[in-house]
Amino acid sequence: MKFSISVIIPAYNVERFIEKAIQSASKQSHVAEVIVVEDGSADNTKAILEKLLTGNPKLKVFHHENNVNKGRSASRNLGIKKATEDFIAFLDADDFYLENRFVNDKELFKSNSNVDGIYNAISVHFYREANILEKDRLKLTTVRKKVIPEELFEALLNGGFGHFHIDGLTLKKSIFNKVGYFNEDLSVAEDTDLFWKMALKSCLIGGVIDTPVAVRGVHDSNVFNKEDLYYKYRIKLYESLIFWSNKNQVSLERIDLLLKWIWLIKYKDEDSLFKNISYWFFLFFNNSRILFSTLSIKYFPLIRLRKKMLPFLFP
């Protein structure tokens, strides 16, 4: 088995970090090419990349048409399409790989021909001040337990064993034929959206989950600091998964799990009954399998309201 990797790095205004990220990927013996998609930066990122190109034969730099900024999803998607190797790994531009990042992955792929991807642990490096509690909490945020592939979706959905981080994934390029690419309509949570789709339609196994293989940079400009943006897109994440699941014949039992999360979000938002009815009509009528199943009855607001009121009406 030839184990040769294309590493994809989306880069936008990352002059502080990009050189370290590229170097950490380039020195990995299993990496054949480091694909940086320069996403219309307004700082010195472009100049740094031009300098690095002259001395790094593995480095390839691409841009969107007219050098516009299109976001992380579009940049990663362009990188996937430009990749020439059979294995794909991702690295955020403010993160870096540790030594021997892919050694264990190679052995696992070699001994498990049916595996589409491997998830590993990552840690963090603080570029800002951090207290002891924060350092301990973020020490390892990735999946802490190896889960059988058939149960991985439920484990990720509930988050009980931790979460994936994109720096810790190593994937066969063919996996994107099964699940599609990053959803460019999601400004955040686009990685979670794809992770869960992979868990639903492919075979992912745990690699090194107790010690990090990569390091995430924590600083004041991290997108995950924007809680209001994540709040805005949380329901869009579940909608994306439901629409995709409906088209890809995912079981209604698993779609039910996603609908439960949407119901909880809508319940906490305390929207009016009319607004709730309008929303569920939109969701049902755009997903035919749900519309013609018991789920459309189960989650219709009037049914839910009735169930909520029953304990009060019949104590």
Side-chain angles (χ1 to χ4, degrees):
M1 180 196 75
K2 181 186 176 185
F3 184 65
S4 189
I5 300 167
S6 298
V7 173
I8 297 168
I9 305 176
Y12 176 70
N13 289 348
V14 285
E15 61 182 7
R16 290 174 57 197
F17 314 107
I18 187 63
E19 186 169 357
K20 185 173 185 177
I22 291 171
Q23 288 177 347
S24 76
S26 299
K27 69 182 182 181
Q28 307 290 332
S29 61
H30 302 100
V31 172
E33 59 182 4
V34 179
I35 296 174
V36 176
V37 179
E38 205 297 302
D39 193 21
S41 297
D43 65 358
N44 290 320
T45 299
K46 292 179 185 177
I48 293 170
L49 290 173
E50 288 174 5
K51 180 191 74 172
L52 295 175
L53 274 169
T54 60
N56 188 340
K58 290 185 178 182
L59 180 59
K60 300 177 182 179
V61 178
F62 297 95
H63 306 265
H64 299 294
E65 188 174 357
N66 299 320
N67 291 316
V68 298
N69 170 254
K70 298 189 70 173
R72 292 176 301 175
S73 291
S75 296
R76 288 179 182 138
N77 287 343
L78 177 58
I80 294 166
K81 293 168 186 175
K82 295 293 185 180
T84 61
E85 303 303 318
D86 291 333
F87 292 85
I88 299 284
F90 296 96
L91 183 63
D92 285 345
D94 50 357
D95 304 342
F96 54 92
Y97 289 147
L98 295 175
E99 191 176 357
N100 298 320
R101 159 67 177 88
F102 299 103
V103 170
N104 187 65
D105 290 345
K106 178 181 179 180
E107 296 306 313
L108 286 176
F109 278 118
K110 186 177 178 180
S111 57
N112 297 274
S113 60
N114 64 316
V115 167
D116 297 299
I118 297 166
Y119 53 90
N120 299 284
I122 69 156
S123 61
V124 301
H125 173 76
F126 287 93
Y127 290 100
R128 58 167 174 78
E129 292 296 321
N131 58 47
I132 294 175
L133 289 176
E134 188 176 20
K135 288 180 179 179
D136 185 65
R137 178 173 59 86
L138 294 177
K139 189 187 236 177
L140 282 181
T141 58
T142 38
V143 174
R144 301 180 299 275
K145 178 181 177 180
K146 292 184 180 180
V147 183
I148 63 172
E150 294 79 11
E151 297 177 3
L152 184 58
F153 169 70
E154 286 78 6
L156 292 175
L157 185 65
N158 295 325
F161 299 134
H163 306 278
F164 283 174
H165 190 280
I166 199 161
D167 294 347
L169 281 180
T170 308
L171 306 165
K172 288 180 178 175
K173 189 178 181 183
S174 57
I175 196 172
F176 298 101
N177 297 327
K178 296 182 179 181
V179 300
Y181 293 85
F182 288 92
N183 185 343
E184 297 182 16
D185 292 328
L186 296 176
S187 296
V188 294
E190 79 291 340
D191 47 359
T192 299
D193 176 77
L194 191 62
F195 300 159
W196 291 0
K197 289 173 182 175
M198 290 177 180
L200 284 165
K201 291 289 284 187
S202 60
C203 180
L204 302 179
I205 64 171
V208 180
I209 62 170
D210 54 352
T211 56
V213 301
V215 177
R216 174 167 63 99
V218 178
H219 48 84
D220 292 331
S221 301
N222 289 130
V223 69
F224 52 78
N225 293 330
K226 301 178 180 179
E227 293 182 6
D228 55 337
L229 188 62
Y230 276 90
Y231 183 85
K232 175 183 176 182
Y233 276 90
R234 59 181 182 160
I235 200 165
K236 295 182 183 296
L237 164 65
Y238 291 104
E239 289 172 356
S240 169
L241 285 156
I242 287 170
F243 277 79
W244 179 88
S245 296
N246 185 58
K247 292 178 181 178
N248 285 273
Q249 301 302 308
V250 172
S251 71
L252 290 174
E253 289 77 13
R254 283 178 154 174
I255 293 176
D256 188 9
L257 296 175
L258 294 167
L259 288 169
K260 285 179 183 176
W261 281 99
I262 287 187
W263 186 86
L264 285 170
I265 292 170
K266 301 296 288 182
Y267 177 76
K268 290 178 180 178
D269 285 347
E270 296 183 343
D271 290 335
S272 67
L273 181 60
F274 175 77
K275 194 171 181 180
N276 260 316
I277 290 174
S278 299
Y279 175 79
W280 288 100
F281 264 122
F282 151 77
L283 202 60
F284 296 153
F285 279 93
N286 284 284
N287 291 280
S288 57
R289 288 179 64 224
I290 302 174
L291 178 62
F292 297 107
S293 75
T294 58
L295 295 179
S296 63
I297 299 171
K298 180 179 180 179
Y299 288 98
F300 192 71
L302 289 176
I303 302 297
R304 284 277 171 174
L305 180 63
R306 181 182 176 188
K307 288 183 177 181
K308 183 180 175 183
M309 293 298 296
L310 280 175
F312 298 99
L313 295 175
F314 304 99

